[in-house]
Amino acid sequence: MKIKRKTLFWKLYPSFLIILFISLLTIVMIALWSFKSFYYQERAVDLEIRAKILTPEFSRLIQSQNYQEIQIKAQKLGDESSTRITIILPSGKIIGDNKKDPATMDNHKNRPEVEQATRYGKGLSIRYGHTLSIDSMYFAIPIMAQDKIIGIMRTSTPLYTLQNALWSIYYKVSLGFFILIIITAFASWWMSKSLVRPLEIIKVQAQRLAKGDFSSRVQLSSNDSLESEQLGQAFNEIAIQLNQRIEIILNQRNEQEAVFSSMIEGVIAVDSNKKILRINQAAYKILKISEKNIEGIKLKNVIDNIELHKLILFALKQDTPVRQEIIIHNNAEHEQVLLAQSAPLLDIHKNKCGTLVVFNDITKLKEFELQRKEFVANVSHELRTPLTAIQGFSETLIEYPDLAQEKRSYFINIIHTHSIRLESIIENLLTLSKIEKETEVDEIDLVNESITIALSNAIFLCKDKALKRSINIILNNAEDIIFKHNSSLIEQAIINLLNNAIKYSNGNSEIKITVTKQEHDIIISVEDQGSGIPEEHLSRLFERFYRVDKARSRELGGTGLGLSIVKHIALAHKGSVTVNSEINKGSIFSLILPLEQ
Ligand code: ADP
């Protein structure tokens, strides 16, 4: 059960009240007691004096045994001095009393004041008097004659006047006491409140601080104590410091977050319990994680790829960095190559508490590497074919100097053809690498001029070849479009497309060059009525050395680099090239070039 705790005010205030009540009560009690005893003492002294004054008179009368005179005297003196006077014989018999007839009064020998007077020379008692039936103070002294006690002189006074006076004092003191209690209750309430007030203010501000409101400041009034003021100042200092530190931490976190989320590399931090601690956007993308906010979730619930899972578990077990390539099969066709590098995560005590894995998607890099290898293999292969022929036939010519003239001419012709082929391969390769290099460093020279120049030049250079095969080249150029381009490169691209169109067309046909202008692009299409290209080859047509029919291409003097050059020229203009083809109907190659560079 939860105990309801008291507030500081309810701890202080009742304690104050109790202490004040007890203190005041004690003071009042002591005062009243002192007052009462002072009052009683005064009365006792008064009674003693009166008794002593009257004693000689009554001593004489007792000695003369004049009891009647004693009664008359007692009556007179007692009434005159407003004091009850009682004359008692040592036997206890009353011989004079101004308040009652002595004959009717019982023996007083055992009255405490009488006994004390007989024994000690004086006696005082405060008690209920049976004779008068009231509370009275009695004082008694012995009446002496020749050193013998011959009687007891007793003076007494009723206490009701005294008690009335005392009660009146009690009443006033009690009233004063209650007024004081009320005043001190208010004073201690105010004191408790003013003691607790600064703490209350600091408590409220501390709660606001705990909720993240760092602008809160403690403001105390000048009535509050110096300690409270210092406490408030210390609190404000803490709030300012905390605010500054949190701001620094937040800024650092934001910077880290910015770096973390803008990284191209995927980063994932996993703790020893295989729970994901942090993951950045790139990792979500690279690892194809569709769930959001996976931090704190177990690895196996989020990453279902076995290779990846294995790698992270392996990295978790290692104390040294791990570097590994993994292939992820996303689906049957698409595979992703990741380079994962891990490093152990250390806590502040330098103990291993997890692992940090950085992923790089190197699929593209791998593709490039593969393409490069293929390219090197293709180049070697393409160059070796004519070289082997040249080498073989030239060796035959050297070995057999007496070879018939006809054969010699045939061999020399072959050597010549292959050397031309070698030259065109090398020339095409050089062209390609030049365009690639210039595109990379953005060095392609673009001039704002009419497209017709490049087109006319290309047609002019290919015309003879076309005519030889009875092919007509038609130019459909409705308007003279002027835009920024590299005329000689575009001319080269059109020549390549025209050459292909001529090579792969049957005789007696047409090649149409159409120029159209769209909102943002200019499209130059070269359309032939040739053999067409099977669809499965279209996607790879622009790769280096890719040919649909290798033998036919070689026969026609092709290098397999023509379309690749076209593609790179288009890319150099930030454009593209497309192909549409239908078997036995023809093909359309389109260069799409942006009007604005
Ligand atoms: P090549 O030097 O072999 O012509 P290209 O890169 O210019 O090399 O062309 C690649 C391949 O594309 C050619 O081998 C040919 O099979 C095919 N091709 C290109 N243009 C045409 C076309 N207009 N009609 C039919 N096939 C073509």
Side-chain angles (χ1 to χ4, degrees):
M1 201 182 78
K2 203 184 165 196
I3 301 164
K4 203 171 177 240
R5 302 192 66 177
K6 280 185 200 159
T7 60
L8 184 61
F9 175 78
W10 284 111
K11 281 195 170 191
L12 278 180
Y13 184 49
S15 316
F16 273 149
L17 270 189
I18 291 168
I19 292 168
L20 278 169
F21 185 80
I22 293 172
S23 316
L24 275 175
L25 196 67
T26 313
I27 291 166
V28 165
M29 295 298 275
I30 291 170
L32 285 177
W33 178 80
S34 309
F35 190 71
K36 191 179 162 187
S37 41
F38 170 75
Y39 223 65
Y40 274 28
Q41 220 171 330
E42 282 288 295
R43 273 297 164 99
V45 169
D46 186 46
L47 286 177
E48 188 179 352
I49 292 166
R50 281 167 201 239
K52 278 181 178 167
I53 292 169
L54 295 172
T55 304
E57 181 79 20
F58 284 102
S59 171
R60 196 178 43 81
L61 289 172
I62 292 170
Q63 282 178 55
S64 61
Q65 295 191 344
N66 190 352
Y67 295 154
Q68 208 175 346
E69 184 62 25
I70 288 172
Q71 174 59 16
I72 293 164
K73 271 266 179 208
Q75 192 88 48
K76 188 178 170 262
L77 290 172
D79 290 348
E80 275 173 8
S81 61
S82 303
T83 311
R84 186 182 168 197
I85 296 171
T86 312
I87 311 296
I88 309 156
L89 287 176
S91 61
K93 188 177 183 279
I94 312 285
I95 52 169
D97 192 291
N98 62 331
K99 289 289 172 187
K100 216 175 172 185
D101 182 8
T104 60
M105 290 170 74
D106 56 356
N107 191 295
H108 270 48
K109 195 179 178 169
N110 293 328
R111 293 293 192 271
E113 66 278 4
V114 176
E115 275 187 349
Q116 286 170 25
T118 313
R119 260 189 226 166
Y120 309 115
K122 66 162 94 163
L124 179 74
S125 89
I126 296 161
R127 58 183 172 79
Y128 181 75
H130 293 282
T131 313
L132 299 178
S133 304
I134 49 167
D135 282 337
S136 299
M137 179 185 273
Y138 300 93
F139 185 81
I141 49 168
I143 303 169
M144 307 291 287
Q146 286 95 43
D147 292 335
K148 265 182 77 184
I149 297 170
I150 55 166
I152 301 291
M153 169 63 150
R154 190 180 79 167
T155 49
S156 69
T157 182
L159 285 179
Y160 57 83
T161 49
L162 192 71
Q163 275 169 344
N164 281 349
L166 275 176
W167 275 119
S168 147
I169 289 166
Y170 285 167
Y171 171 74
K172 283 173 190 161
V173 169
S174 305
L175 195 72
F177 172 76
F178 281 110
I179 291 169
L180 254 178
I181 280 288
I182 290 167
I183 292 169
T184 48
F186 271 113
S188 55
W189 177 86
W190 182 84
M191 221 168 84
S192 307
K193 271 275 163 206
S194 59
L195 271 179
V196 170
R197 199 189 83 96
L199 287 177
E200 280 281 343
I201 294 173
I202 293 170
K203 184 192 85 179
V204 170
Q205 299 306 334
Q207 283 170 338
R208 288 175 64 185
L209 200 72
K211 282 181 188 157
D213 178 4
F214 296 105
S215 63
S216 62
R217 296 282 178 275
V218 172
Q219 260 163 12
L220 299 176
S221 77
S222 53
N223 292 334
D224 291 311
S225 65
L226 180 67
E227 288 84 351
S228 307
E229 196 191 327
Q230 286 170 343
L231 185 64
Q233 280 170 354
F235 177 88
N236 288 345
E237 196 53 40
I238 291 171
I240 292 167
Q241 295 265 336
L242 210 62
N243 194 17
Q244 284 172 351
R245 280 180 199 184
I246 285 178
E247 250 175 40
I248 292 171
I249 292 169
L250 276 178
N251 281 343
Q252 282 175 347
R253 210 187 69 178
N254 287 347
E255 279 167 20
Q256 279 175 4
E257 201 56 50
V259 172
F260 194 57
S261 51
S262 59
M263 277 173 80
I264 316 163
E265 293 85 6
V267 182
I268 183 166
V270 180
D271 71 8
S272 320
N273 297 323
K274 294 163 196 139
K275 270 187 192 165
I276 295 171
L277 291 174
R278 293 291 305 274
I279 179 163
N280 72 347
Q281 282 309 314
Y284 273 108
K285 216 167 129 194
I286 295 172
L287 305 178
K288 309 250 173 337
I289 298 170
S290 50
E291 291 96 331
K292 293 270 167 279
N293 304 324
I294 58 166
E295 282 162 358
I297 297 179
K298 282 251 181 197
L299 198 65
K300 65 170 190 249
N301 297 335
V302 189
I303 296 175
D304 46 12
N305 188 288
I306 299 164
E307 293 101 325
L308 206 62
H309 203 238
K310 266 193 205 160
L311 176 104
I312 297 174
L313 292 187
F314 177 71
L316 261 177
K317 284 182 200 150
Q318 307 308 306
D319 292 328
T320 47
V322 175
R323 188 186 157 94
Q324 203 173 309
E325 265 181 32
I326 49 167
I327 298 172
I328 296 180
H329 300 275
N330 291 317
N331 51 46
E333 283 156 33
H334 186 244
E335 65 177 33
Q336 203 182 358
V337 188
L338 298 183
L339 174 67
Q341 298 184 80
S342 80
L345 271 183
L346 303 178
D347 62 17
I348 46 168
H349 308 295
K350 306 267 181 228
N351 295 325
K352 203 179 129 197
C353 62
T355 187
L356 182 90
V357 189
V358 179
F359 294 100
N360 266 308
D361 189 347
I362 53 164
T363 317
K364 280 261 152 23
L365 249 156
K366 283 278 163 187
E367 274 171 18
F368 284 141
E369 201 180 306
L370 197 74
Q371 278 174 12
R372 193 186 55 82
K373 280 184 187 158
E374 269 177 13
F375 175 71
V376 173
N378 281 337
V379 170
S380 330
H381 178 74
E382 292 296 330
L383 293 178
R384 192 169 297 128
T385 317
L387 266 175
T388 316
I390 293 167
Q391 205 180 354
F393 285 107
S394 54
E395 272 169 11
T396 315
L397 286 174
I398 295 164
E399 260 181 59
Y400 303 101
D402 304 329
L403 218 60
Q405 187 56 41
E406 206 178 307
K407 272 208 168 166
R408 281 180 74 87
S409 315
Y410 175 67
F411 287 174
I412 288 168
N413 221 5
I414 292 175
I415 291 171
H416 183 242
T417 312
H418 281 289
S419 63
I420 289 173
R421 179 171 166 68
L422 208 59
E423 191 201 2
S424 54
I425 291 173
I426 290 165
E427 220 167 71
N428 279 342
L429 278 174
L430 286 174
T431 311
L432 250 182
S433 96
K434 189 171 171 257
I435 298 167
E436 264 183 329
K437 204 181 125 213
E438 283 176 2
T439 311
E440 258 172 41
V441 291
D442 224 4
E443 265 183 9
I444 300 285
D445 211 4
L446 301 172
V447 182
N448 205 24
E449 57 185 329
S450 160
I451 187 68
T452 321
I453 304 169
L455 295 177
S456 317
N457 286 348
I459 294 168
F460 176 75
L461 290 170
C462 298
K463 211 171 189 171
D464 287 350
K465 227 186 270 177
L467 278 177
K468 273 185 198 155
R469 305 198 57 218
S470 310
I471 294 170
N472 201 12
I473 302 172
I474 302 163
L475 175 63
N476 280 334
N477 189 8
E479 57 171 312
D480 190 15
I481 301 161
I482 297 169
F483 76 110
K484 262 191 165 184
H485 66 282
N486 184 304
S487 191
S488 61
L489 283 181
I490 298 294
E491 182 187 315
Q492 171 78 65
I494 302 299
I495 291 172
N496 286 8
L497 292 177
L498 279 176
N499 275 338
N500 281 349
I502 297 164
K503 274 194 287 184
Y504 303 106
S505 286
N506 305 317
N508 296 316
S509 61
E510 265 183 5
I511 297 173
K512 236 193 277 171
I513 302 177
T514 316
V515 183
T516 43
K517 189 180 175 187
Q518 290 190 342
E519 198 183 347
H520 301 293
D521 305 302
I522 168 168
I523 301 169
I524 308 164
S525 306
V526 178
E527 183 179 352
D528 64 55
Q529 296 165 338
S531 56
I533 306 156
E535 205 183 331
E536 65 268 25
H537 296 285
L538 294 180
S539 63
R540 300 196 60 192
L541 219 55
F542 298 95
E543 287 175 20
R544 294 178 177 101
F545 298 114
Y546 190 83
R547 279 160 292 196
V548 176
D549 183 340
K550 273 194 179 157
R552 190 166 173 221
S553 162
R554 279 209 194 101
E555 191 189 304
L556 297 169
T559 58
L561 292 168
L563 284 182
S564 186
I565 290 172
V566 175
K567 185 180 95 178
H568 279 87
I569 290 172
L571 290 177
H573 286 81
K574 297 192 175 65
S576 58
V577 57
T578 60
V579 57
N580 281 309
S581 190
E582 220 175 309
I583 300 285
N584 296 327
K585 283 214 166 158
S587 313
I588 309 171
F589 285 86
S590 302
L591 259 182
I592 304 162
L593 306 171
L595 281 168
E596 298 282 333
Q597 285 294 326

